[in-house]
Amino acid sequence: KVLKMRKSEEVLAKYIPENALDLLMPLLKEDPIELKIKKPRRTKFGDYRFPKKGKRHQISINNNLNPFAFLITLLHEIAHLKAFVEFGNRIKPHGNEWQETFLKITQPFIQEKIFPDNLASVLEKSLKKGGASSCTDLDLFRELQKFEKSPKTSVEEIPEGAIFRADNKMIFKKGAIARKRYKCKCLDNGREYMVHPLAKAELIETPKEEISAKS
């Protein structure tokens, strides 16, 4: 068991920021957890499943996240686990109980300077306003994107009317923003979709008016 635990710590250390392991392991050892590092999923960075029929708590995290995004996502899911253990399964997924738990377990990582100053500042603001995740808090998402090895263009960075290819290979024409997402027409099926501003976008064609303005 000791060797197995050491092996798991060695693997986990490859995915998280330097010096974070000593703060993280006590959180993982408090409850029986099955932690899985998975291939990238389009709809989520990680998830938590409460134990059924005597099984362990289950947490999974995508393996393509940068170290800071990986750690924040893992703490997010650990907060779900801790909130479940303390308050039961009738609480709202990102309600007050979860928010308080997430803030509590994340603060030591901020205090010990695990995160760079700018990221720590944005993360603290997100925690204080009850941000559910790095996906829903755009400021936090943008800051985390700075640590990607190969940053990609996002939908919000391309001009309205541009043609782009999304991660799912579908081709879209960017429309106007409606509330917090862009209304984009899929050129493959003619349907309209509300696209996240920070979704990846491979630019295919710039709007004609913008080409004319440049020339």
Side-chain angles (χ1 to χ4, degrees), residues 155-164 173-178 182-184 203 205-210:
V155 172
E156 71 175 3
E157 293 177 294
I158 63 175
E160 187 174 329
I163 309 299
F164 68 93
K173 182 176 183 179
K174 180 181 174 180
I177 194 166
Y182 289 94
K183 185 180 290 186
C184 300
L203 184 62
E205 183 180 319
T206 304
K208 291 181 180 179
E209 57 269 23
E210 183 153 312

Side-chain angles (χ1 to χ4, degrees), residues 56-200:
R56 292 170 173 262
H57 299 270
Q58 291 188 6
I59 289 177
S60 69
I61 310 293
N62 291 359
N63 66 5
N64 65 332
L65 303 180
N66 71 60
F68 300 113
F70 189 100
L71 178 58
I72 291 172
T73 303
L74 180 52
L75 293 173
H76 174 116
E77 304 306 340
I78 292 174
H80 279 301
L81 185 158
K82 302 296 182 186
F84 169 80
V85 170
E86 185 171 355
F87 303 105
N89 62 356
R90 294 186 178 183
I91 60 175
K92 293 181 180 180
H94 298 114
N96 292 334
E97 297 87 353
W98 175 84
Q99 290 177 19
E100 291 172 6
T101 305
F102 190 27
L103 176 61
K104 180 181 178 181
I105 67 173
T106 304
Q107 279 296 342
F109 292 84
I110 295 174
Q111 292 167 358
E112 292 298 320
K113 305 291 185 181
I114 301 300
F115 301 105
D117 289 343
N118 286 348
L119 177 56
S121 177
V122 175
L123 177 57
E124 279 197 289
K125 289 178 182 177
S126 179
L127 290 168
K128 289 176 181 177
K129 67 182 181 183
S133 73
S134 56
C135 290
T136 55
D137 189 317
L138 297 185
D139 290 335
L140 179 55
F141 195 107
R142 290 187 187 100
E143 193 63 31
L144 284 169
Q145 288 297 97
K146 295 177 182 179
F147 299 95
E148 295 295 330
K149 290 182 179 178
S150 302
K152 295 182 180 180
T153 303
S154 63
V155 172
E156 71 175 3
E157 293 177 294
I158 63 175
E160 187 174 329
I163 309 299
F164 68 93
R165 181 181 288 107
D167 265 359
N168 61 6
K169 307 304 180 184
M170 296 173 73
I171 307 298
F172 292 90
K173 182 176 183 179
K174 180 181 174 180
I177 194 166
R179 295 186 179 179
K180 293 184 178 181
R181 293 180 179 243
Y182 289 94
K183 185 180 290 186
C184 300
K185 183 177 181 180
C186 178
L187 302 185
D188 298 312
N189 58 26
R191 297 177 183 174
E192 287 191 337
Y193 294 81
M194 302 306 293
V195 181
H196 194 287
L198 297 179
K200 305 304 180 189

